[in-house]
Amino acid sequence: MAAPPSSPMLPWRTRIQLSILSKFTDASRRHDGTVDRRLLRFFEFGIKTPADSNPIKGVRTSDVTIDSSRNLWFRLFVPTQLNIQNDSQLPVIVFFHGGGFVYLSPDVKSYDIVCRRLACKIPAVVISVNYRLAPEHRYPAQYEDGFNVLEFLVSEKSVLPENADLSRCFFAGDSAGANIAHHVAKRACESKFKDIKVRPFERNLGKTKLFEFLLQFFQYFNQNKKGVEA
């Protein structure tokens, strides 16, 4: 008889952050399905991290606003390791956070850690999208926001580093974010983008240990967020 799969072994800080996230989201969810955003903002102070132009663990970050009227922006992660040559072309990963379409954002510490690891270990330029949240903004707002990010990247290429290669564009996401990544990637493939070329996210894009970490992160997060997506 096969042994049951072992529980994901994540760093203790990451596990604590995920547990705290679960408590906050449960407390802010009302019985009628709406969310107490005011209460959630009060709690979010301790679980968010600002962008930093000074490299942290080999990656610098910045926040780029696309449309302030709908709070559409993304956090840009750019690797700065010395072993990366200035003329090396880096793939671009567009990442969508999870949270049942209702919670979280790119500046939550746990997602900042994940995207920072993606940027550093692959290496790649990572774009973590802040899309509109339900129930205030219903379908297909999230998909529209994701696609609008791609349109912005095409029209405003200067926001990316010169060695960002949009012809190697990958989509990734956790939970609800994976759903958004799928639909945005499908629409991107059907569009007439000349500069953006969607690629399959294969294991050999990065190191095996990185994918093991990401798998552990998503498994642990999904096991511990309880009612986030109820």
Side-chain angles (χ1 to χ4, degrees):
M1 182 176 179
S6 58
S7 299
M9 296 300 294
L10 290 176
W12 64 270
R13 289 184 179 179
T14 304
R15 285 181 288 176
I16 290 176
Q17 290 168 3
L18 293 176
S19 297
I20 293 174
L21 279 175
S22 177
K23 298 295 184 182
F24 289 165
T25 54
D26 285 349
S28 65
R29 182 164 40 87
R30 300 188 180 102
H31 293 294
D32 61 359
T34 60
V35 177
D36 189 339
R37 298 291 181 191
R38 183 178 299 178
L39 177 62
L40 196 59
R41 283 193 292 269
F42 175 78
F43 285 137
E44 284 178 342
F45 177 78
I47 64 173
K48 290 193 173 184
T49 185
D52 197 332
S53 58
N54 297 315
I56 298 177
K57 296 184 177 181
V59 178
R60 60 180 170 85
T61 57
S62 60
D63 291 340
V64 179
T65 300
I66 298 176
D67 186 349
S68 59
S69 67
R70 49 178 162 150
N71 198 28
L72 177 59
W73 57 274
F74 61 81
R75 176 157 293 182
L76 180 65
F77 297 79
V78 179
T80 59
Q81 301 100 315
L82 295 178
N83 62 333
I84 296 178
Q85 303 298 322
N86 291 332
D87 59 350
S88 298
Q89 293 296 296
L90 298 177
V92 175
I93 298 176
V94 182
F95 182 87
F96 297 92
H97 67 82
F101 297 96
V102 176
Y103 296 104
L104 309 179
S105 59
D107 52 1
V108 169
K109 289 181 180 179
S110 298
Y111 283 114
D112 186 87
I113 291 172
V114 166
C115 292
R116 193 176 298 275
R117 282 183 179 248
L118 281 171
C120 180
K121 298 297 184 181
I122 286 178
V125 174
V126 178
I127 295 168
S128 184
V129 180
N130 187 75
Y131 52 85
R132 286 173 290 177
L133 300 175
E136 296 90 345
H137 304 283
R138 298 186 178 185
Y139 164 88
Q142 296 75 27
Y143 300 160
E144 292 291 342
D145 287 350
F147 189 76
N148 290 160
V149 169
L150 302 185
E151 294 177 319
F152 178 84
L153 294 178
V154 171
S155 63
E156 302 290 341
K157 296 179 183 177
S158 61
V159 302
L160 298 176
E162 292 183 359
N163 58 349
D165 185 4
L166 285 173
S167 69
R168 290 191 294 157
C169 188
F170 301 83
F171 292 82
D174 161 48
S175 191
N179 179 284
I180 298 173
H182 166 79
H183 286 278
V184 174
K186 179 178 181 295
R187 184 173 174 184
C189 291
E190 296 170 346
S191 70
K192 296 182 179 180
F193 286 133
K194 294 182 179 180
D195 299 315
I196 296 179
K197 304 296 182 183
V198 180
R199 304 293 184 182
F201 203 104
E202 299 176 351
R203 177 178 291 272
N204 60 8
L205 178 65
K207 298 180 179 179
T208 300
K209 288 186 178 180
L210 170 64
F211 281 87
E212 290 177 351
F213 170 84
L214 294 175
L215 179 61
Q216 291 171 357
F217 172 86
F218 296 143
Q219 286 178 340
Y220 188 90
F221 184 76
N222 287 324
Q223 289 172 5
N224 288 272
K225 61 188 176 183
K226 296 179 182 178
V228 170
E229 297 187 2

